[in-house]
Amino acid sequence: MAFRTPTPWRSLTFLLLCLFFGGGPVPGLSLAAESDELQIEVSKKGLGKEVVITQGAKEWFMLIEVTPENTVVVRQEKDHDKYLVDESETHDRPLVPAEVDAAIADYINSVKARAKK
């Protein structure tokens, strides 16, 4: 049985398969540059919602936690590991789902407007 030397395209295919299915990213190798696009993730948290918006090293976060007695709203803004905004407010009544949705939408629009600058 003869041993064949891998051709360059086979080596490249093997490398790509290792990168995509292997043990994670290779240090010093970036497949995607930091993007100027906003990545928005909204998730339901009990009766409230949470939104995480990222753009490169910047991150905006809002949590609306609704209980039968009150509503707590938490807002945070980070640039790398530095917190630029870290505030919370408590409302003495539970917000209804439409109010939660409106607050989340307003926050997303606010971040979009500020991120364009």
Side-chain angles (χ1 to χ4, degrees):
M1 187 186 306
F3 178 79
R4 294 185 347 173
T5 306
T7 58
W9 67 269
R10 286 185 182 161
S11 298
L12 179 60
T13 303
F14 177 75
L15 177 63
L16 291 174
L17 288 172
C18 288
L19 286 174
F20 288 112
F21 299 108
V26 177
L29 180 63
S30 174
L31 295 177
E34 284 191 7
S35 172
D36 284 341
E37 285 188 40
L38 292 175
Q39 304 297 317
I40 303 170
E41 296 178 30
V42 179
S43 56
K44 189 158 176 55
K45 295 289 184 181
L47 299 174
K49 286 192 175 181
E50 171 184 278
V51 63
V52 179
I53 306 169
T54 56
Q55 181 184 46
K58 293 183 181 180
E59 180 180 287
W60 295 265
F61 171 82
M62 181 181 203
L63 169 66
I64 302 176
E65 185 176 343
V66 180
T67 68
E69 295 82 30
N70 62 20
T71 301
V72 177
V73 180
V74 177
R75 283 184 214 85
Q76 295 177 331
E77 183 177 334
K78 268 186 355 184
D79 190 359
H80 292 87
D81 289 331
K82 181 180 177 185
Y83 281 90
L84 306 173
V85 174
D86 189 4
E87 60 189 24
S88 66
E89 60 189 53
T90 302
H91 299 266
D92 59 355
R93 66 176 183 83
L95 294 180
V96 298
E99 291 174 311
V100 172
D101 292 340
I104 293 289
D106 288 347
Y107 187 70
I108 292 171
N109 289 333
S110 167
V111 170
K112 284 181 179 179
R114 288 183 289 140
K116 286 183 181 179
K117 295 179 183 178

